[in-house]
């Protein structure tokens, strides 16, 4: 049910994976076509932010403390580290 809700909210872009924050308040989803990740407050299904990452993001994972998201990118060949409070990519590691 959660997945369907989030996918419907992002009809303009494909979502290949999603991750739920440890406190279960925020859903992160990759947008392959937009080179971004989207954040939602799942209780309302409202999109809160889109954060730019490298080209063609594929997977996302959220840290245990809920402060960072780790996003792999296929074309960018990077691991993007996203600060979820600052809502921006703070580091890129070449793969």
């Amino acid at each position: 049910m959660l997945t369907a809700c989030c996918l419907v909210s992002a009809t303009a872009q494909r979502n290949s994976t999603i991750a739920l924050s440890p406190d279960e308040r925020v859903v992160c989803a990759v947008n392959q076509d937009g080179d971004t990740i989207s954040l939602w407050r799942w209780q309302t299904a409202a999109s809160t932010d889109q954060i730019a990452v490298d080209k063609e993001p594929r997977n996302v994972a959220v840290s245990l403390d809920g402060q960072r998201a780790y996003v792999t990118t296929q074309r960018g060949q990077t691991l993007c580290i996203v600060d979820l409070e600052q809502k921006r990519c703070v580091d890129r590691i070449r793969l």
Side-chain angles (χ1 to χ4, degrees), residues 15-45:
N15 293 296
S16 66
T17 64
I18 62 171
L20 185 61
S21 65
D23 63 5
E24 298 184 354
R25 292 184 180 177
V26 177
V27 176
C28 301
V30 298
N31 304 310
Q32 292 179 17
D33 297 335
D35 299 336
T36 62
I37 62 170
S38 293
L39 306 180
W40 281 276
R41 297 275 178 211
W42 73 267
Q43 299 90 337
T44 62

Side-chain angles (χ1 to χ4, degrees), residues 2-92:
L2 174 62
T3 302
C5 173
C6 292
L7 292 176
V8 169
S9 296
T11 55
Q13 300 176 348
R14 295 178 302 180
N15 293 296
S16 66
T17 64
I18 62 171
L20 185 61
S21 65
D23 63 5
E24 298 184 354
R25 292 184 180 177
V26 177
V27 176
C28 301
V30 298
N31 304 310
Q32 292 179 17
D33 297 335
D35 299 336
T36 62
I37 62 170
S38 293
L39 306 180
W40 281 276
R41 297 275 178 211
W42 73 267
Q43 299 90 337
T44 62
S47 179
T48 59
D49 291 288
Q50 284 202 7
I51 301 169
V53 294
D54 272 342
K55 295 181 180 182
E56 207 171 316
R58 288 292 182 168
N59 299 293
V60 62
V62 178
S63 64
L64 293 176
D65 62 9
Q67 294 183 8
R68 297 189 186 257
Y70 300 92
V71 182
T72 60
T73 64
Q74 183 167 337
R75 283 198 179 160
Q77 295 292 300
T78 58
L79 173 68
C80 294
I81 301 170
V82 176
D83 185 305
L84 295 175
E85 287 186 25
Q86 295 179 27
K87 297 181 174 44
R88 67 182 188 90
C89 180
V90 293
D91 200 7
R92 288 178 172 84

